[in-house]
Amino acid sequence: MWTKKTPLAALLLIARFGPGTEAKVRSPKSDKSPTSKAGKKVCLEYGFETEVIAAGSTTPIGASGPTGLGPCLASSPGVCCTEGAACFGGSPDACDAYAACLRDPANGPVVVGDWWLQRDVSFGEIFFEEDAVCGEITSTEKASRTRFELWDDTFLGMNLTLFKKFSVGYDFRSTGGGSGGYLNLYLRATDNGNYYDCRLDFSIPNVVGTGTLVVTPETVTSSVQNNYGSDKGCSGTPTILDYLADNPDAVMGVGNGELYAFVLNTGSTNQDNSGQEICWSDASVQRYDETGAIIVKTWE
């Protein structure tokens, strides 16, 4: 992993990939009245409309390798290798070019809004539909999966007490083998330089069907993972509230120089996940600001 001083942080802070829609609300009252946008029904949650940003190739892409810089360094198939190497060399202008390359429709795109799709994981395909981005596993290789990371420094180092809710719609079209679909939430006991101290996993039902995955501080995890070597892990931690009870200064996100707290996965490591296909849509994160107002950020 890269250190906390890596230019990768500059990539997101200097060359913003493009934000989701963020709005402040005065109360938790919900306006669920639908409205039409480009032929699509959009839910007006808390009285505002989000922008549709999940757009790209309808042809599966990325099965030959990951989209981060790692495969380029390993002489494996990769995306935007020349631009990425220059960015990691410390040039802000080169980071602008790297971000533009990752956003280029000719390359997928593999960065859509704040989401970096299929970064440094192998043997999974991604494709886009009108209102969703999908992951499909066609390989029988173990660890074949898709991984969609939310790169947003808003949540990096944010006090865990300010987290209110994460939600995302899913369409589980084919189960195949393996673990199915799930959310990783990365936490640290303090704003330290650890990759993470505790990772909470929240799974969707491993059956064909549609639904919404909702995570709040009270939601019971499907599983947890401690970062090896950390003495602030979460073995036996069933909820976010429980982790906060043990670690009152806990923050969200990784501390290794990358910029994510939330990751959506299809398939898992050390498993044959062939046959799985899941589409994700309408992701939303709610948090409190310092005044107690609710801030809602959404991606469609």
Side-chain angles (χ1 to χ4, degrees):
M1 292 298 176
W2 297 287
T3 67
K4 198 167 186 178
K5 300 298 183 181
T6 177
L8 191 58
L11 168 64
L12 265 291
L13 296 175
I14 297 172
R16 291 295 297 176
F17 289 163
T21 300
E22 184 172 74
K24 180 181 291 188
V25 297
R26 296 181 179 274
S27 69
K29 293 182 179 178
S30 179
D31 177 4
K32 297 295 185 181
S33 56
T35 186
S36 178
K37 181 176 182 180
K40 179 177 180 292
K41 294 294 183 180
V42 180
C43 174
L44 294 184
E45 188 169 10
Y46 296 104
F48 71 93
E49 186 172 354
T50 63
E51 297 295 327
V52 177
I53 61 172
S57 174
T58 57
T59 302
I61 56 177
S64 60
T67 67
L69 194 60
C72 301
L73 299 176
S75 299
S76 302
V79 175
C80 306
C81 293
T82 300
E83 295 83 356
C87 173
F88 278 75
S91 168
D93 290 342
C95 287
D96 288 339
Y98 186 37
C101 184
L102 294 171
R103 288 197 307 263
D104 189 336
N107 296 320
V110 297
V111 167
V112 181
D114 296 315
W115 293 86
W116 194 334
L117 310 176
Q118 199 62 356
R119 191 185 71 89
D120 290 347
V121 292
S122 300
F123 307 116
E125 298 179 340
I126 61 174
F127 61 93
F128 296 84
E129 296 188 346
E130 180 183 1
D131 57 356
V133 61
C134 306
E136 182 178 15
I137 312 300
T138 56
S139 172
T140 58
E141 294 280 346
K142 288 192 174 181
S144 55
R145 59 191 178 117
T146 63
R147 177 179 170 94
F148 302 161
E149 300 173 346
L150 177 56
W151 280 58
D152 189 330
D153 55 301
T154 301
F155 311 108
L156 198 71
M158 186 182 85
N159 192 293
L160 188 55
T161 61
L162 299 179
F163 172 73
K164 178 175 172 59
K165 179 182 177 182
F166 175 93
S167 65
V168 64
Y170 64 84
D171 182 357
F172 205 154
R173 297 179 176 176
S174 177
T175 57
S179 297
Y182 54 97
L183 169 75
N184 293 144
L185 175 57
Y186 291 85
L187 307 176
R188 287 172 288 147
T190 62
D191 196 3
N192 55 43
N194 294 344
Y195 173 29
Y196 68 92
D197 292 314
C198 168
R199 192 194 73 209
L200 304 181
D201 303 332
F202 301 91
S203 299
I204 65 175
N206 199 13
V207 295
V208 170
T210 61
T212 302
L213 173 65
V214 177
V215 175
T216 70
E218 297 82 11
T219 303
V220 176
T221 61
S222 304
S223 63
V224 300
Q225 176 66 56
N226 295 317
N227 187 22
Y228 297 108
S230 171
D231 60 354
K232 297 293 184 180
C234 50
S235 295
T237 300
T239 70
I240 292 172
L241 286 180
D242 291 317
Y243 191 68
L244 271 171
D246 293 334
N247 304 279
D249 296 323
V251 301
M252 302 182 69
V254 297
N256 64 341
E258 299 168 354
L259 301 181
Y260 59 85
F262 303 95
V263 179
L264 292 172
N265 299 273
T266 300
S268 187
T269 56
N270 302 316
Q271 295 179 348
D272 175 1
N273 302 299
S274 58
Q276 292 187 18
E277 181 179 337
I278 302 174
C279 294
W280 306 95
S281 62
D282 302 312
S284 172
V285 182
Q286 299 181 21
R287 63 181 175 87
Y288 297 102
D289 70 5
E290 64 280 358
T291 69
I294 301 170
I295 308 296
V296 184
K297 197 163 188 178
T298 62
W299 301 263
E300 288 194 349

